[in-house]
């Protein structure tokens, strides 16, 4: 009887411990309570002092969970069981999430800062009328060069990268869509091309670039460029801003003939629960002073026109990260292509990498 009683007491203790642990984990993941906001964001993609300020002003505590790719974010939300109030997908992923019925429409009547946004960064093809998304940051794909090794006049256009003088000198970001897109622009084709023959031509064009390619790399491209390991790189503006901050000899150029215009956006997942917190946060982040502070911290371009006006003159007039209107007019937003076309892009890109 004592053994049975001890067993029962032990089981109850274990159950109690499990319940406490479960409750603690639930709280730490931000899934409980009414005075919270559960934000699913890219890593280090918001000024932490803004989160503190938001909490002090509103009383809502922000729980942040991070992801490292759009696809990882999509998979987790699509699988269910999460209650994120806001997520930060890129342009093409907004389209995909809409089609999968994973998003809730914005209630514009509750948004107080919508008029602060630059109209040219609204109503994009991935979400006409911004029914589901509010722009967070935007940027481009371009060329980073080191002025100790390369003259600015030699790298103003994508075609310049094919020059024999750059043999074994270029680092490429490991991204099928971007590198294929760069090649398509040199052929005067859309970065959203779907014709198999056009994509084959883009691969052949890339194959002729192979002698100039020093390496195809991922995040480490920033370290290599900062440490003068290569004179040239093709990368995104956000990554470039980190490189430029680490090496005063680095510069960034967006070819005027065309490139990618990307957007990261705030959206409300279908399973969101804390609507007062959601709209308080969206309005808080739309305030020009807060958006400008966030842009200064992140180093990306803000779509908030009134926030841009608050940035240092050297920043808001920096054509590397805020291109002139002529260049912007030639930028292209990626569309969410069908799985078969995405596979074709990947196949053509892998063929190129094999040549390298």
């Amino acid at each position: 009887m004592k053994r049975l009683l001890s067993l029962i007491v032990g089981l109850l203790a274990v159950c109690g411990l499990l319940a406490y642990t479960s409750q603690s984990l639930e709280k730490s993941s931000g899934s409980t309570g009414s005075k919270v906001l559960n934000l699913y964001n890219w890593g280090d993609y918001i000024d932490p002092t803004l989160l503190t300020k938001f909490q002090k002003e509103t009383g809502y505590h922000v729980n942040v969970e991070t992801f490292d790719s759009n696809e990882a974010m999509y998979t987790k939300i699509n699988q269910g069981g999460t209650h994120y109030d806001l997520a930060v997908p890129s342009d093409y992923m907004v389209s995909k999430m809409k089609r999968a019925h994973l998003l809730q429409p914005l209630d514009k009547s509750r948004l107080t800062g919508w008029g602060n946004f630059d109209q040219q960064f609204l109503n994009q093809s991935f979400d006409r009328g911004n029914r589901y998304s509010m722009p967070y940051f935007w940027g481009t794909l371009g060329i980073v060069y080191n002025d100790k090794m390369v003259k600015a006049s030699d790298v103003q256009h994508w075609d310049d990268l094919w020059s024999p003088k750059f043999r074994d000198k270029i680092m490429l970001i490991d991204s099928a869509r971007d590198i294929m897109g760069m090649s398509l622009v040199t052929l005067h084709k859309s970065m959203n091309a779907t014709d198999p023959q056009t994509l084959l031509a883009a691969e052949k064009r890339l194959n002729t670039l192979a002698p100039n390619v020093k390496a195809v790399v991922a995040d480490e491209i920033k370290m290599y460029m900062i440490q003068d390991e290569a004179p040239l790189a093709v990368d995104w503006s956000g990554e470039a801003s980190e490189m430029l901050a680490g090496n005063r000899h680095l510069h960034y150029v967006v070819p005027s003939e065309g490139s990618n215009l990307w957007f990261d956006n705030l959206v409300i997942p279908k399973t969101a629960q804390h609507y007062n917190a959601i709209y308080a946060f969206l309005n808080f982040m739309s305030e020009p002073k807060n958006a400008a502070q966030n842009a200064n911290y992140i180093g990306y371009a803000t779509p908030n026109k009134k926030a841009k006006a608050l940035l240092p003159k050297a920043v808001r007039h920096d054509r590397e990260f805020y291109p002139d209107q002529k260049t912007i007019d030639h930028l292209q937003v990626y569309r969410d292509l069908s799985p078969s076309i995405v596979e074709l892009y990947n196949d053509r890109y892998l063929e190129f990498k094999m040549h390298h």
Side-chain angles (χ1 to χ4, degrees):
M1 183 67 180
K2 277 187 176 181
R3 289 184 62 189
L4 179 59
L5 185 59
S6 298
L7 181 61
I8 292 172
V9 171
L11 286 172
L12 287 173
V14 170
C15 289
L17 179 61
L18 288 173
Y20 173 78
T21 303
S22 175
Q23 187 179 38
S24 298
L25 287 171
E26 193 175 20
K27 285 181 179 178
S28 69
S29 68
S31 58
T32 63
S34 59
K35 295 293 288 183
V36 300
L37 176 83
N38 299 318
L39 175 64
Y40 198 26
N41 198 2
W42 299 84
D44 196 26
Y45 207 28
I46 188 169
D47 184 342
T49 63
L50 282 174
L51 298 180
T52 302
K53 181 182 177 183
F54 174 73
Q55 181 170 326
K56 287 181 178 178
E57 287 187 5
T58 66
Y60 295 112
H61 176 73
V62 184
N63 298 305
V64 181
E65 188 171 329
T66 62
F67 55 86
D68 58 9
S69 74
N70 278 289
E71 287 66 31
M73 179 272 303
Y74 175 88
T75 298
K76 189 159 188 181
I77 290 178
N78 190 40
Q79 285 175 341
T82 60
H83 292 286
Y84 301 120
D85 297 306
L86 288 168
V88 191
S90 301
D91 34 59
Y92 72 95
M93 187 54 68
V94 175
S95 298
K96 185 171 181 177
M97 294 177 80
K98 282 192 325 186
R99 282 204 314 274
H101 305 291
L102 296 179
L103 301 180
Q104 299 185 40
L106 296 173
D107 183 351
K108 300 278 183 65
S109 69
R110 301 183 68 174
L111 295 173
T112 59
W114 201 257
N116 297 336
F117 292 102
D118 190 326
Q119 290 296 308
Q120 70 178 328
F121 299 130
L122 300 175
N123 195 35
Q124 295 293 321
S125 58
F126 59 87
D127 185 21
R128 289 300 183 194
N130 288 88
R131 189 178 176 206
Y132 295 91
S133 64
M134 188 175 89
Y136 184 58
F137 281 114
W138 67 275
T140 54
L141 178 74
I143 302 167
V144 180
Y145 68 92
N146 190 315
D147 64 22
K148 292 192 295 185
M149 309 175 212
V150 177
K151 292 190 296 184
S153 58
D154 287 343
V155 285
Q156 293 301 303
H157 304 282
W158 292 122
D159 280 327
D160 294 337
L161 298 179
W162 273 257
S163 170
K165 70 175 71 173
F166 297 136
R167 187 178 183 88
D168 196 35
K169 295 184 183 299
I170 303 170
M171 289 195 171
L172 300 179
I173 190 66
D174 191 4
S175 168
R177 194 74 188 269
D178 292 298
I179 302 307
M180 286 288 290
M182 172 190 74
S183 182
L184 286 163
V185 171
T186 68
L187 297 173
H188 308 290
K189 300 294 185 181
S190 167
M191 297 180 89
N192 293 297
T194 58
D195 175 63
Q197 290 305 310
T198 299
L199 296 181
L200 179 60
E203 181 213 322
K204 290 180 177 178
R205 173 73 168 147
L206 282 176
N207 288 342
T208 64
L209 180 67
N212 289 2
V213 178
K214 183 180 182 70
V216 180
V217 289
D219 282 347
E220 60 269 31
I221 196 171
K222 289 182 287 189
M223 177 189 67
Y224 289 139
M225 292 302 292
I226 289 172
Q227 296 179 355
D228 294 339
E229 294 290 333
L232 287 165
V234 174
D235 207 343
W236 306 295
S237 57
E239 303 294 282
S241 69
E242 294 186 42
M243 297 182 208
L244 271 58
N247 186 330
R248 64 186 179 87
H249 292 285
L250 297 180
H251 307 272
Y252 179 73
V253 61
V254 183
S256 59
E257 63 271 18
S259 188
N260 171 234
L261 171 63
W262 58 259
F263 290 90
D264 286 333
N265 312 269
L266 287 158
V267 300
I268 306 174
K270 202 75 170 179
T271 54
Q273 296 179 327
H274 307 109
Y275 296 99
N276 289 335
I278 288 169
Y279 286 98
F281 187 79
L282 292 176
N283 291 331
F284 176 85
M285 294 305 297
S286 298
E287 291 177 17
K289 186 177 180 180
N290 295 332
Q293 179 180 330
N294 204 32
N296 271 323
Y297 176 83
I298 300 298
Y300 286 16
T302 177
N304 190 313
K305 184 166 58 176
K306 293 185 178 181
K308 181 185 173 185
L310 299 178
L311 295 174
K313 187 175 180 180
V315 175
R316 65 178 186 269
H317 292 301
D318 187 347
R319 292 291 174 252
E320 295 177 330
F321 297 99
Y322 289 95
D324 59 31
Q325 194 59 49
K326 181 180 177 181
T327 301
I328 290 176
D329 289 342
H330 287 90
L331 298 177
Q332 304 176 48
V333 177
Y334 290 143
R335 298 194 193 110
D336 179 30
L337 303 177
S338 69
S340 61
I341 296 299
V342 170
E343 184 177 358
L344 199 53
Y345 268 82
N346 291 337
D347 288 346
R348 298 274 69 89
Y349 175 66
L350 287 173
E351 287 290 333
F352 155 67
K353 286 178 68 174
M354 287 173 61
H355 272 79
H356 178 260

